[in-house]
Amino acid sequence: MATTGERWLDEREQRAWRSFITMQMELHNRLGRQLLADAGLSETDYAVLVHLSEAPEGRLRIFQLRAHLEWEKTRLTHHLGRMARRGLVEREPCLTDPRGAFIRITEAGREAIISAAPKHVANVRRWVIDVLTPEQLDVLAEISDKVRAGFHKDVCPPVKAEPCDAESADCPTDTASHDV
């Protein structure tokens, strides 16, 4: 193989990487299929509903939700539109920032997450938690935290996820969220 100055993975590194990628894809696919079968929710629906259900008053500014999910603005806008049409979320104006909006979980959305969560957690437990020892869980958490910390070394700071008001100069707005 021609070299381009990059350090290629050696056999050990390649085995670890491919095993991780395969496990991650299989787990993602299994959890997604089971969530859809059990609750009629996609993994993306579930992720949105989790963050909203845990937020004060069941609502977040769109930029806050985007920061939690680390999604592109267009992806989030389109997905929230689909969820709103299904009655899972609703858009509310932000009284302190006319350019911004909140996304609120609806009663139907709350019922969906309450129904889906126990089965989803049971599957996470069955396919991950219960097959690892407590020590392995600690190592998994440590590895995950270390890899995630590396993501943020060379990038700009994440979008502010705290409530803000229109008076604040560092308060991002949600101008692209008008179609939810």
Side-chain angles (χ1 to χ4, degrees):
M1 195 176 280
T3 61
T4 60
E6 296 297 322
R7 289 181 44 223
W8 293 99
L9 302 181
D10 64 27
E11 189 175 321
R12 177 180 182 220
E13 293 165 336
Q14 193 169 98
R15 180 189 170 283
W17 175 246
R18 288 187 177 177
S19 180
F20 167 76
I21 289 297
T22 302
M23 179 273 303
Q24 186 269 337
M25 285 189 303
E26 288 179 12
L27 181 61
H28 177 77
N29 291 338
R30 276 180 181 262
L31 286 171
R33 281 191 307 267
Q34 202 61 52
L35 194 54
L36 196 57
D38 290 344
L41 296 173
S42 69
E43 284 184 283
T44 52
D45 293 337
Y46 189 83
V48 168
L49 293 174
V50 164
H51 288 293
L52 291 175
S53 70
E54 293 173 347
E57 301 177 37
R59 70 182 193 166
L60 289 169
R61 290 284 300 266
I62 293 174
F63 74 85
Q64 293 171 306
L65 186 56
R66 189 171 150 236
H68 286 301
L69 297 169
E70 295 189 18
W71 289 0
E72 294 298 320
K73 190 182 295 187
T74 302
R75 177 184 183 195
L76 181 58
T77 299
H78 289 295
H79 195 76
L80 291 173
R82 288 188 295 272
M83 290 181 74
R85 286 188 291 279
R86 291 169 43 218
L88 300 172
V89 299
E90 60 189 6
R91 183 180 186 272
E92 290 183 350
C94 178
L95 300 178
T96 60
D97 181 0
R99 301 167 298 166
F102 285 97
I103 294 296
R104 177 186 296 277
I105 190 170
T106 63
E107 191 57 39
R110 194 165 300 284
E111 289 172 12
I113 194 72
I114 288 170
S115 172
K119 294 173 188 167
H120 184 67
V121 170
N123 288 327
V124 168
R125 179 169 292 290
R126 178 173 54 159
W127 292 326
V128 180
I129 306 301
D130 290 347
V131 300
L132 300 175
T133 66
E135 294 78 18
Q136 289 170 323
L137 283 173
D138 292 341
V139 170
L140 178 61
E142 181 182 340
I143 290 168
S144 298
D145 291 344
K146 186 166 190 155
V147 170
R148 289 179 58 235
F151 293 155
H152 304 289
K153 282 184 180 174
D154 298 323
V155 296
C156 61
V159 175
K160 182 177 166 188
E162 296 298 317
C164 63
D165 58 61
E167 316 285 307
S168 174
D170 64 344
C171 179
T173 61
D174 316 317
T175 56
S177 62
H178 62 278
D179 44 342
V180 173

